[in-house]
Structure formats: C-alpha cells, structure tokens
Amino acid sequence: VDSYDVAVLGVPFDSGVSFRPGARFGPSAIREASRLLKPFNPALHVEPFGVHQVVDAGDLGVNPFSIEAAIEQIDAGVSALVNGLKPIVIFGGDHTISLPILRAMHRLYGKIALVHFDAHLDTWPTYFGAEYTHGTPFRRAAEEGLFAYECSAHVGIRGPLYGVEDLEQDAGLGFRIWSALDVDRRGVEVILDELKEQVGEHPIYISIDVDVLDPAFAPGTGTPEVGGLSSRELLYLIRGFALKHVVGVDVVEVAPAYDSAGITASAASTLGFEALSLFALRAVN
Ligand SMILES: [Mn+2]
C-alpha cells in the first residue's frame, strides 16, 4: 500500500532465550493463524481494518548471531514504521525485542506507562553475565529510564524464582505486581480498575509475553509456567484499555514447534486483532 495508519511487524529473533528456542518462527505461525480472523470485533464493536489502513510490514531482518546488532536493527525498523506516531503491533520473537522497541517508543513519546503481561518479571540484572537476553529487557529499560516510574505494571507473575532477592531487586524499578493468583482471586474487573489507575494519563505500551497464559492456553512457548491466565481473562484485560492512549502492543515468545493444534498462535493472532481494535476504537471516538 502507498500509505498506512497502523503497522503490523514481525521480529523473528530468538537468540536471547534461556531455555527452549524457536520463537523466531512466531511471526509466520501467527500470520497463518490470523487467516481465521474476521473484520468485525463484536466485543469492542469496531472494524479495525475498516477504520484504519493496516499494513503488514513483513518481518525485520535481524542478525541471529549478534544480539547487539539485532537490537540496533529492531530499534531502527520500529522507529521507521512508528514515524509520525503511528500505532504498531509487533509479533516476536523472544522478549529481548521489547528493549529496542521501548527505546524507539521513548524517543517518540517520552515517558510511557509499561503494562507487562508475563509469567516472569524479566528484570533480572544479567544471565551468565549477559546484559541483553529475554530475561533482562525491563531491567535495561528501567536503567535507561524508558518507562514511567511507579506507573508501570507486571501482570500474571508466577512460578519459582531464583530467590526472594528477585522480588526485592524488582521492587525499586517502578512496577506494581499483580500475580496470576491476584487475577484469579480478585477478578479481572478489579485488576483492570487498578491497572488503569496505575498507568494514569501516560501513553501506554503493552508487552504481552504469551507465557502469561496458562500452558493449557499457550503450550507453544519457550518457558511455560503452570497456573496462568486463561485467554478469556487476558482478552478482557486487553480490551479494558479501550479509549486509552495505547501506542503499541507486542506479543512475544510464541514458539510454534511446541504448539499443539496452533492454540498459541491463535491466541497471539487474536491478541493482535484486539490491539488493532483498540487503535481503531480510539481513532473513531
Ligand atoms: Mn518475558
């Protein structure tokens, strides 16, 4: 197309994983699953492709042998597409990619509220001494001041940690944590109200590690953790940002080799559809 309002981008990069590799094949599996999507979103009452010219911008060419080089390529690629403050949906790839995305977003929007859906904190200082991995992107982002302190969130956290210090070192970075158990026991409506209060009036960036979903709903991922959200709960929370100023959404860590019947890719493509619907709804209101 000659011009576009919203871009969808694949980032087939998984050289930052600590356990099962394969998320580099996420974008192609999500595109395949997206063939089942239809034009109208009844939950938000909007036609995302009717409101916006949405372009599939294809996949970025990312260096699989150098994480630092790939980070530069992702920053440049995302910056070029978001130029003019166009909303974007990005399919990973492993969670390393959210660091260069946030760098690009911060350059364009200033301080943004980061809403991070994940089983894991992803704020570990290093892995085996490595600074740039899929377990460290939000630690680097905090150090670089890329998101709004005390206005950001981890949602869906669960599973074993290396030690209690994992929580202590995260506590100073400006996130509030809603665990998977919080979502279950207190309910999505209460959590959503609190999330909206947390983000305030900042532009919002939503990063969705598909492992926030229970492995029953997303088996195709690198580091599954039992006891996660249902896809229905996650969709409710994402839709809850309707009319808010959401500037971008990523869905990462879909690893099709471990998927069953395309369940995980289907969840990811639907999450992308909901993101596009959020952008459209805000544009027409
Ligand atoms: Mn993650």
Side-chain angles (χ1 to χ4, degrees), residues 34-138:
S34 75
R35 295 169 66 205
L36 189 59
L37 295 172
K38 300 174 190 72
F40 181 61
N41 184 335
L44 292 173
H45 203 84
V46 71
E47 288 188 329
F49 306 107
V51 173
H52 282 139
Q53 175 67 60
V54 180
V55 67
D56 183 345
D59 289 348
L60 283 179
V62 281
N63 190 328
F65 307 109
S66 165
I67 294 179
E68 285 78 4
I71 282 174
E72 294 300 320
Q73 289 161 334
I74 296 164
D75 187 337
V78 170
S79 295
L81 284 170
V82 177
N83 192 24
L85 305 186
K86 291 171 176 158
I88 190 165
V89 174
I90 299 165
F91 294 118
D94 77 49
H95 224 154
T96 310
I97 73 170
S98 293
L99 174 63
I101 296 168
L102 285 172
R103 284 178 179 166
M105 291 294 173
H106 180 252
R107 212 178 300 118
L108 291 159
Y109 289 99
K111 291 268 183 188
I112 50 177
L114 170 62
V115 181
H116 169 219
F117 292 93
D118 204 319
H120 312 98
L121 297 164
D122 290 2
T123 54
W124 282 277
T126 57
Y127 263 98
F128 293 88
E131 290 186 46
Y132 302 108
T133 76
H134 80 150
T136 57
F138 303 121

Side-chain angles (χ1 to χ4, degrees), residues 8-15 17 21-31 58-60 62 74 78 88-98 100-101 134 205-210 220-222 249-256 264-265 268-269 271-272:
V8 176
L9 178 67
V11 184
F13 173 85
D14 66 4
S15 304
V17 301
R24 69 181 63 184
F25 300 110
S28 55
I30 295 165
R31 282 194 184 87
D59 289 348
L60 283 179
V62 281
I74 296 164
V78 170
I88 190 165
V89 174
I90 299 165
F91 294 118
D94 77 49
H95 224 154
T96 310
I97 73 170
S98 293
I101 296 168
H134 80 150
Y205 184 81
I206 300 176
S207 182
I208 305 170
D209 188 323
V210 83
T221 193
V249 177
D250 67 47
V251 185
V252 301
E253 300 281 353
V254 173
T264 315
S269 73
L271 288 163

Side-chain angles (χ1 to χ4, degrees), residues 101-249:
I101 296 168
L102 285 172
R103 284 178 179 166
M105 291 294 173
H106 180 252
R107 212 178 300 118
L108 291 159
Y109 289 99
K111 291 268 183 188
I112 50 177
L114 170 62
V115 181
H116 169 219
F117 292 93
D118 204 319
H120 312 98
L121 297 164
D122 290 2
T123 54
W124 282 277
T126 57
Y127 263 98
F128 293 88
E131 290 186 46
Y132 302 108
T133 76
H134 80 150
T136 57
F138 303 121
R139 176 58 163 250
R140 297 289 88 76
E143 290 165 353
E144 295 176 23
L146 302 183
F147 58 84
Y149 187 77
E150 299 291 351
C151 296
S152 294
H154 297 302
V155 186
I157 302 300
R158 64 190 188 275
L161 297 171
Y162 297 102
V164 70
E165 59 274 13
D166 292 4
L167 291 168
E168 292 164 357
Q169 58 88 17
D170 182 80
L173 302 180
F175 292 96
R176 179 172 167 188
I177 298 175
W178 285 268
S179 69
L181 200 57
D182 290 331
V183 175
D184 183 41
R185 299 187 76 169
R186 300 179 60 227
V188 284
E189 285 183 59
V190 174
I191 301 298
L192 187 57
D193 285 344
E194 291 175 354
L195 268 174
K196 285 182 178 170
E197 196 171 319
Q198 176 79 354
V199 298
E201 295 305 312
H202 295 280
I204 299 161
Y205 184 81
I206 300 176
S207 182
I208 305 170
D209 188 323
V210 83
D211 73 24
V212 73
L213 293 173
D214 191 273
F217 299 91
T221 193
T223 49
E225 298 284 353
V226 301
L229 274 59
S230 71
S231 43
R232 187 170 55 208
E233 288 169 325
L234 181 57
L235 289 170
Y236 185 92
L237 291 170
I238 299 301
R239 289 175 189 141
F241 287 94
L243 303 182
K244 288 287 194 180
H245 187 201
V246 179
V247 297
V249 177

